[in-house]
Amino acid sequence: MSYDLSIIGLGRVGLPLALCFADRGLRVLGVDSDPDVLEAIRAQRMPFSEAGTQALLERVAASGRLELAARAADAARAANIVITLGTPSFSHIETDLRQVRAAVDDLLPLLRPGHSLILRSTIAPGTTEFVAGYLAKQRGFRVGEDVFVAHAPERIAAGRFLEEISTLPCIVGGVGDASTERAADLFAELGAPIVRTSAVQAELAKIWTNILRYATFALPNLLMMDCERYGANVFEVIDLINRDYPRGGMAKPGMTAGSCLRKDFAFSEERSNAPGMLLAVSRVNEAVPLFLVEGVKRRIGELSSRKVAVLGLTFKRDTDDERDSLSPKLIRMLERELADVAVCDPHAATPTQPLDEAVRDADVVIVATNHSEFERPDALREIIARASSDCLLVDPWNAFGTAQVFLYASEAAALLGTGAPADQARGVARG
Ligand SMILES: NC(=O)c1ccc[n+]([C@@H]2O[C@H](COP(=O)([O-])OP(=O)(O)OC[C@H]3O[C@@H](n4cnc5c(N)ncnc54)[C@H](O)[C@@H]3O)[C@@H](O)[C@H]2O)c1
């Protein structure tokens, strides 16, 4: 076979991975059914932003070690086939395996002894065994002897791919030891420590990595809502919890979402031993936009025809990834209150306004995403200067360093004069 590996799905996981393998000298066939994705890569233009990958794409293109194809079936031209397709969840809490099944069905007639199928996508427990069983049932393969199936989950955070691909322990769990070894040999090329386990343990480890984060951020969000009820300051309470306390710590509140956290919990919840528990975690995080809108209305009354500036459209800080962000939900809720919404996001591909325009004469300014641009002291100064004189600032992230979720711009201006109480905002940082 002319390629060392193929990768099906050149999205935010698959494309950086393909580039890294090619950069380490392997011959890679990248497969994606979206012509726009293939066109961008051929033009040596990253379809999304991920630190350091534009230069890497140009280097790899010059090496000629990454070729492209449009059909999943083409991936059978390599012995190692890595699947990095999307694995969403149906809205009624069930894993949606349609992309993976379609690719496996396309590959089915072309698989031969020696092929190794490695699922890099996030999958519900039991999915690797299901794929192995499907190959055995449809083609009569003995998985682990003549073809190999393994799970090697992706756990890298957006924006940190090139930093973590060679350092973050790479979990590999195969159907049979030989499947594990084939996948481990391939991923060892990237230089990170390989941790061998069973397929189902690899699946559980990945989804519970994300469930832990999702729940970790739901707690300060619920605390923020409790504090509002009792007239308390969430940042002061978090500081009381964390200050010199040696056993763990409370994270900071914020708009917690994104295409992984918002759906991966469903891969446990669909067969949960405690049905509803993780759904409740999700509901807390999902309730933050409504909490903020209601908090604004409690303070300034009806929002009809009031100007609200929403800062941040992407799902987290300093990324251009807008998928499954809570910001559009916040904007929709504000629009349903008949507010005039202006948006500023210096990272999003969706066109938005510059900061000075978005906040001009605003009655409310909400930090929806804590981009580093909004944390600069001059951003708060600009807002105070341009927004209406009685503007309400809403900052669940404490991006402005004022340690108040709701604060009038005049109060923020007074704090700026005296030095903001930033030490009251200590929380466990989000990666
Ligand atoms: N984005 C992240 O930061 C991240 C992190 C960890 C794990 N994951 C998991 O990795 C997987 C991929 O995530 P992603 O964000 O890269 O997804 P994505 O949607 O960005 O990429 C999937 C790609 O697959 C392509 N595709 C769809 N069907 C195809 C087919 N039949 N043949 C060929 N190509 C096809 C799409 O065009 C798209 O480019 C998911 O399981 C996700 O949960 C994502």
Side-chain angles (χ1 to χ4, degrees):
M1 295 185 196
S2 51
Y3 303 99
D4 295 306
L5 75 152
S6 53
I7 296 187
I8 311 177
L10 299 176
R12 289 181 184 257
V13 169
L15 179 54
L17 187 66
L19 295 175
C20 286
F21 274 122
D23 200 39
R24 281 163 174 78
L26 278 70
R27 290 156 305 157
V28 182
L29 180 66
V31 181
D32 202 291
S33 55
D34 184 341
D36 292 343
V37 170
L38 296 182
E39 191 190 313
I41 301 170
R42 285 200 179 100
Q44 297 183 33
R45 181 169 34 84
M46 281 298 290
F48 48 85
S49 114
E50 173 62 45
T53 52
Q54 180 58 42
L56 177 59
L57 172 58
E58 289 163 24
R59 194 161 70 233
V60 165
S63 77
R65 284 193 295 269
L66 174 64
E67 290 183 28
L68 300 173
R71 299 174 318 129
D74 294 325
R77 290 154 67 190
N80 296 302
I81 303 168
V82 179
I83 292 184
T84 48
L85 292 162
T87 49
S89 166
F90 289 114
S91 58
H92 43 271
I93 312 297
E94 176 198 347
T95 181
D96 175 358
L97 279 176
R98 284 177 295 178
Q99 286 187 36
V100 173
R101 281 197 66 160
V104 171
D105 280 335
D106 286 349
L107 286 167
L108 210 48
L110 301 162
L111 291 178
R112 292 187 300 279
H115 265 123
S116 171
L117 205 58
I118 302 163
L119 296 156
R120 183 74 164 167
S121 300
T122 304
I123 44 179
T127 305
T128 310
E129 288 283 353
F130 156 73
V131 170
Y134 194 69
L135 300 187
K137 179 179 170 188
Q138 301 293 339
R139 289 287 311 274
F141 287 127
R142 288 162 303 163
V143 175
E145 293 179 35
D146 37 25
V147 298
F148 308 95
V149 178
H151 181 40
E154 162 74 52
R155 295 191 302 153
I156 297 172
R160 302 221 179 135
F161 198 97
L162 299 189
E163 184 190 323
E164 293 187 350
I165 189 68
S166 56
T167 55
L168 200 71
C170 177
I171 299 169
V172 178
V175 177
D177 290 344
S179 293
T180 306
E181 289 314 314
R182 281 287 299 265
D185 284 351
L186 179 66
F187 276 86
E189 298 278 352
L190 298 170
I194 302 290
V195 189
R196 292 169 175 77
T197 184
S198 65
V200 77
Q201 289 193 174
E203 293 162 339
L204 286 163
K206 166 61 198 179
I207 65 167
W208 280 88
T209 300
N210 280 358
I211 290 169
L212 178 61
R213 288 176 66 72
Y214 205 35
T216 295
F217 301 140
L219 295 176
N221 283 336
L222 187 57
L223 174 60
M224 172 171 65
M225 297 172 199
D226 259 13
C227 286
E228 173 83 348
R229 166 174 296 162
Y230 296 111
N233 180 320
V234 65
F235 298 109
E236 290 180 23
V237 176
I238 289 174
D239 186 53
L240 293 171
I241 295 168
N242 291 348
R243 189 180 288 241
D244 298 332
Y245 190 68
R247 286 171 284 282
M250 179 75 84
K252 286 190 279 188
M255 300 247 279
T256 306
S259 61
C260 290
L261 297 191
R262 219 173 176 189
K263 56 95 176 169
D264 287 355
F265 79 92
F267 297 175
S268 169
E269 185 69 21
E270 68 171 355
R271 297 168 189 218
S272 180
N273 289 307
M277 178 179 154
L278 297 179
L279 204 52
V281 164
S282 163
R283 293 301 93 193
V284 170
N285 289 324
E286 288 293 311
V288 171
L290 180 62
F291 165 77
L292 297 178
V293 172
E294 290 187 335
V296 170
K297 286 176 69 183
R298 260 194 299 280
R299 286 163 177 85
I300 71 164
E302 292 305 311
L303 294 180
S304 180
S305 299
R306 313 288 294 270
K307 179 172 179 183
V308 182
V310 172
L311 308 187
L313 204 48
T314 65
F315 88 92
K316 81 171 196 182
R317 175 189 177 81
D318 296 352
T319 176
D320 67 343
D321 194 346
E322 297 174 47
R323 296 175 306 171
D324 269 314
S325 167
L326 279 178
S327 199
K329 181 176 185 176
L330 172 69
I331 292 166
R332 288 191 296 272
M333 284 182 163
L334 291 164
E335 286 172 346
R336 284 162 65 187
E337 297 293 333
L338 302 174
D340 299 329
V341 182
V343 182
C344 164
D345 191 314
H347 294 267
T350 299
T352 61
Q353 295 182 319
L355 182 67
D356 56 346
E357 272 177 44
V359 302
R360 184 174 300 138
D361 299 325
D363 298 298
V364 183
V365 174
I366 305 179
V367 183
T369 314
N370 58 336
H371 287 314
S372 46
E373 288 83 351
F374 306 140
E375 290 185 344
R376 293 188 193 128
D378 53 330
L380 180 56
R381 281 198 197 94
E382 171 115 46
I383 293 164
I384 292 169
R386 293 188 185 272
S388 82
S389 55
D390 55 353
C391 176
L392 180 66
L393 306 178
V394 182
D395 183 13
W397 301 98
N398 193 26
F400 297 145
T402 59
Q404 304 270 351
V405 178
F406 300 99
L407 185 73
Y408 287 98
S410 52
E411 297 170 314
L415 280 176
L416 272 183
T418 58
D423 66 325
Q424 286 178 353
R426 259 182 241 148
V428 175
R430 296 179 182 213

